[in-house]
Amino acid sequence: MTTPIRFGGLASGIDTDTIIKQLMQVERVPVDKLEQKKQATEWKRDAYREINRSLLTLRNSAVDLIFSRNFYAKTASSSDESRVSVVAGPSSGNTAIRIDSVTNLATAASQIVEPKDRDGNAVTKTTKVSDMNLQSATQVVTLSTAAKEWTLSPKPRAGETVALKDASNNPIDASYDEATGKVMMNDGSDIPTGTTATYTSGYQIQIRSVEGGDFKTIKIAENATVENLITALNGKDSGISAFFEPLSGKLSLTQKQTGSVAIIEFDGVTKAAFGIDTSAVPVKGTNANFMVNGISMSQSSNTVTIDNMTVTLKSSFIAGNPVMLSAATDTQKVFDNIKKFVNQYNETIELMNRKVKEERYRSFNPLTNAQKNELSEDEIKKWEEKAMSGLLKNDTIVRGAMDTLRGKWSSASSPTNDVDMKQLFQIGLSTGADFTNGGKIELNEEKLKAAIEKDPEQVYQLFTNQESGLLLKIRDAATSSRSSITRIAGADGAGAPTYSMGREMTQIDTRIQRLNALLVDKENAYYRRFAAMETAMNQANSQAASLQQFLGGGM
């Protein structure tokens, strides 16, 4: 709304604007109080939400820690990493093994071939596959949805017959148009769903990569080149990797897996095209042969699992100079994982404890706009720090959340027969004797590390047991407390109608709008009264002037 331009006091000489402004300041007091109440409510809401964010972080920290890998972290070592390396897994025991010797490492099957074209010439990358004596590929494609026209892909080879059958494998009255590459029903009706087209298009290679396994078919497009063929051989389904050397025209084939059962074997047609003796047995790799603690072993890979440890054989060596491998609990890593969670818990408790104990300065209300105009930015900042302090002092919801969380530490237990490891305080985690800290956890590093080294399983149970473990209790308590706070203060970005403080602020806004409308009417009424006074005084002055002129003229 545009503020009207007023000129007051022209007749009376009174500063009516200043008088009305002072009158309206008094009238605005109820509005100022409502705006201060709304600001205090917003600050209190934000304080609740800060706690809620910390509770969410605590909950997520509890969920992250619950995985067994955090409690069964292992460290492993090898006496000679250049010959044998080792990685311990979560289920590795505190053990030591001896690699006495490695007779030979596992190898992958490999073969070098010299592909030829139909004329017996060495191929190049640009040689067309159609110029090689490879097996033609049979394509079987199915129509998923009924249609008037069906474009076949890949396109059938020129001059080849296309067999068309319905879903029941019966021939249908349809034709393939080689010029357009489309199939259409002869009577113009829709081609039925499930129709299959069988025809020749492109070429195929059949390869077997596992002894006794099935041949896999690799298809190549009708217009493909040798370069496209190499790409197809390097596909994930072939089981081999291929490298073509263009100067010599030789093709190197290597099995992706090591071991004696990993082979390279092609169908007879491909063997002939690649210059492989069709009667030759398939090439195969070799197993790794080694001795562990006096026991001979043979494995298809150089990376093997022994006593839940991942062992990698790097070179062969004879008996007499063994490699010693050992695994043990990584006490420091497990300790660090637990300490990280405890620190997050303590941060959450410290935040809540600070909020419920903050001093409340009741004489420091939120500043009105008029008051802010009279202060510097630094003065406003210091004032608002006082005004925001203690908004959650002795808050029952926050105190209840603290009490619940604190109680979970004392109620957590492990179903163990070891009486020295049934409670968290026995492994170095306790709330301590200082009740003023709100229940922060005191961590005894020496005691906790000793418990981890003694029995990591019982430490794991204390934290993760489904019935009595700490982490599930903390997760559920944090979730419940967040729900209680969310009902009052809402989640970040939540709409005002979804939480009680939001609805309260909406009601305050409505009252402020109504009072502001009344203030506008009040201000206009004041101006009308002063305007009437100015009009009356102006008339009086005019009459006095006329009278004075009349009397002066009679003399």
Side-chain angles (χ1 to χ4, degrees):
M1 183 176 65
T2 304
T3 302
I5 301 174
R6 296 184 174 101
F7 298 97
L10 295 178
S12 64
I14 299 173
D15 187 354
T16 56
D17 281 341
T18 300
I19 293 173
I20 293 174
K21 183 178 179 181
Q22 291 172 347
L23 289 170
M24 291 307 299
Q25 284 179 347
V26 177
E27 298 286 354
R28 272 196 60 84
V29 169
V31 175
D32 289 340
K33 287 184 176 180
L34 285 174
E35 290 179 342
Q36 288 174 319
K37 183 179 180 181
K38 180 186 175 183
Q39 181 63 77
T41 304
E42 287 181 351
W43 285 341
K44 187 173 183 179
R45 178 201 64 187
D46 293 343
Y48 272 132
R49 288 183 176 181
E50 183 183 2
I51 291 174
N52 240 9
R53 288 192 292 270
S54 185
L55 284 169
L56 177 61
T57 304
L58 174 62
R59 178 196 176 282
N60 292 341
S61 181
V63 172
D64 290 342
L65 184 61
I66 208 167
F67 294 106
S68 61
R69 64 174 181 267
N70 293 309
F71 295 90
Y72 293 112
K74 299 288 182 176
T75 181
S77 63
S78 167
S79 63
D80 190 345
E81 287 279 346
S82 66
R83 291 189 290 168
V84 184
S85 64
V86 61
V87 176
S91 56
S92 301
N94 292 345
T95 185
I97 60 174
R98 182 184 70 249
I99 307 297
D100 298 305
S101 63
V102 177
T103 305
N104 57 272
L105 296 175
T107 60
S110 62
Q111 188 173 17
I112 296 176
V113 298
E114 297 184 50
K116 305 290 184 180
D117 63 16
R118 285 195 178 93
D119 298 327
N121 299 318
V123 300
T124 66
K125 281 188 175 183
T126 58
T127 299
K128 293 286 187 180
V129 173
S130 57
D131 292 333
M132 300 173 65
N133 286 317
L134 291 177
Q135 183 179 359
S136 294
T138 299
Q139 309 289 345
V140 180
V141 294
T142 303
L143 181 64
S144 59
T145 305
K148 289 287 185 183
E149 298 179 342
W150 180 20
T151 302
L152 297 182
S153 180
K155 189 174 182 179
R157 185 177 295 170
E160 293 289 337
T161 301
V162 177
L164 297 166
K165 296 183 178 181
D166 62 18
S168 300
N169 205 33
N170 298 312
I172 62 173
D173 185 20
S175 302
Y176 169 70
D177 187 342
E178 187 173 308
T180 62
K182 295 180 179 180
V183 173
M184 296 179 67
M185 297 294 292
N186 291 329
D187 61 4
S189 61
D190 285 352
I191 307 170
T193 299
T195 296
T196 60
T198 304
Y199 55 90
T200 299
S201 177
Y203 302 89
Q204 65 184 32
I205 289 174
Q206 291 182 304
I207 183 172
R208 179 157 53 193
S209 57
V210 178
E211 191 173 46
D214 296 328
F215 278 95
K216 292 183 178 179
T217 301
I218 300 173
K219 294 184 177 182
I220 308 103
E222 187 78 18
N223 61 348
T225 63
V226 168
E227 186 172 15
N228 301 134
L229 171 62
I230 303 306
T231 300
L233 287 173
N234 280 315
K236 63 178 182 179
D237 294 329
S238 70
I240 64 171
S241 59
F243 169 71
F244 183 73
E245 205 291 298
L247 294 179
S248 63
K250 293 181 178 181
L251 175 62
S252 173
L253 305 169
T254 305
Q255 242 287 351
K256 292 178 180 178
Q257 303 296 326
T258 58
S260 59
V261 298
I263 64 174
I264 300 176
E265 182 180 9
F266 293 101
D267 64 274
V269 175
T270 304
K271 282 183 178 180
F274 281 3
I276 303 173
D277 186 349
T278 55
S279 63
V281 297
V283 294
K284 59 174 62 178
T286 60
N287 283 353
N289 296 303
F290 54 101
M291 184 172 289
V292 180
N293 288 357
I295 302 173
S296 295
M297 298 182 67
S298 180
Q299 296 287 331
S300 63
S301 172
N302 291 316
T303 299
V304 297
T305 300
I306 304 174
D307 199 10
N308 295 314
M309 294 188 297
T310 301
V311 177
T312 300
L313 308 175
K314 295 182 176 180
S315 65
S316 58
F317 57 92
I318 61 175
N321 186 19
V323 177
M324 301 302 299
L325 308 177
S326 62
T329 299
D330 191 343
T331 302
Q332 186 62 47
K333 187 171 183 179
V334 177
F335 172 82
D336 289 341
N337 292 336
I338 295 173
K339 183 179 180 181
K340 181 180 177 182
F341 169 73
V342 171
N343 287 343
Q344 180 55 56
Y345 174 86
N346 284 342
E347 286 179 15
T348 301
I349 292 297
E350 183 178 4
L351 172 63
M352 292 193 291
N353 194 42
R354 185 174 71 250
K355 293 295 185 183
V356 297
K357 289 186 175 182
E358 272 183 339
E359 185 66 31
R360 183 77 174 101
Y361 300 96
R362 298 191 179 278
S363 59
F364 285 80
N365 292 315
L367 294 168
T368 64
N369 289 332
Q371 290 171 330
K372 287 182 179 180
N373 291 334
E374 297 174 358
L375 300 175
S376 66
E377 288 187 8
D378 187 56
E379 289 173 327
I380 293 172
K381 181 180 178 181
K382 290 179 179 179
W383 182 283
E384 290 188 341
E385 286 177 357
K386 295 280 188 179
M388 285 189 284
S389 176
L391 291 175
L392 295 180
K393 185 175 178 64
N394 294 324
D395 185 88
T396 55
I397 295 176
V398 179
R399 281 199 174 277
M402 292 172 62
D403 292 340
T404 300
L405 289 170
R406 182 167 56 241
K408 301 306 179 185
W409 288 84
S410 57
S411 64
S413 62
S414 170
T416 178
N417 294 324
D418 188 343
V419 295
D420 295 326
M421 296 188 71
K422 294 185 74 71
Q423 300 288 327
L424 288 165
F425 75 88
Q426 293 175 306
I427 66 170
L429 299 167
S430 63
T431 53
D434 184 4
F435 291 99
T436 62
N437 66 10
K440 290 173 63 175
I441 298 304
E442 295 179 359
L443 189 153
N444 185 318
E445 182 174 346
E446 182 179 350
K447 202 171 183 179
L448 179 55
K449 285 184 175 180
I452 294 169
E453 291 177 357
K454 176 185 176 182
D455 196 342
E457 170 62 22
Q458 293 310 321
V459 175
Y460 175 63
Q461 289 297 325
L462 272 169
F463 278 89
T464 65
N465 184 269
Q466 292 291 320
E467 300 296 329
S468 57
L470 172 70
L471 296 178
L472 293 179
K473 291 175 178 287
I474 294 294
R475 180 199 66 185
D476 294 343
T479 300
S480 177
S481 297
R482 275 179 49 78
S483 297
S484 298
I485 292 174
T486 300
R487 283 194 295 271
I488 297 172
D492 288 330
T498 63
Y499 59 99
S500 61
M501 295 181 79
R503 292 188 290 272
E504 180 184 352
M505 287 188 287
T506 299
Q507 292 173 355
I508 293 173
D509 280 336
T510 301
R511 294 174 62 189
I512 290 174
Q513 290 173 3
R514 187 170 63 250
L515 288 177
N516 277 332
L518 293 174
L519 287 176
V520 171
D521 293 340
K522 192 76 171 180
E523 186 179 37
N524 289 335
Y526 279 132
Y527 272 107
R528 285 195 298 272
R529 291 177 185 177
F530 277 98
M533 181 191 73
E534 290 288 332
T535 300
M537 292 187 69
N538 192 41
Q539 291 175 349
N541 289 338
S542 178
Q543 291 173 353
S546 298
L547 181 59
Q548 185 178 12
Q549 183 179 11
F550 174 75
L551 294 175
M555 295 177 66

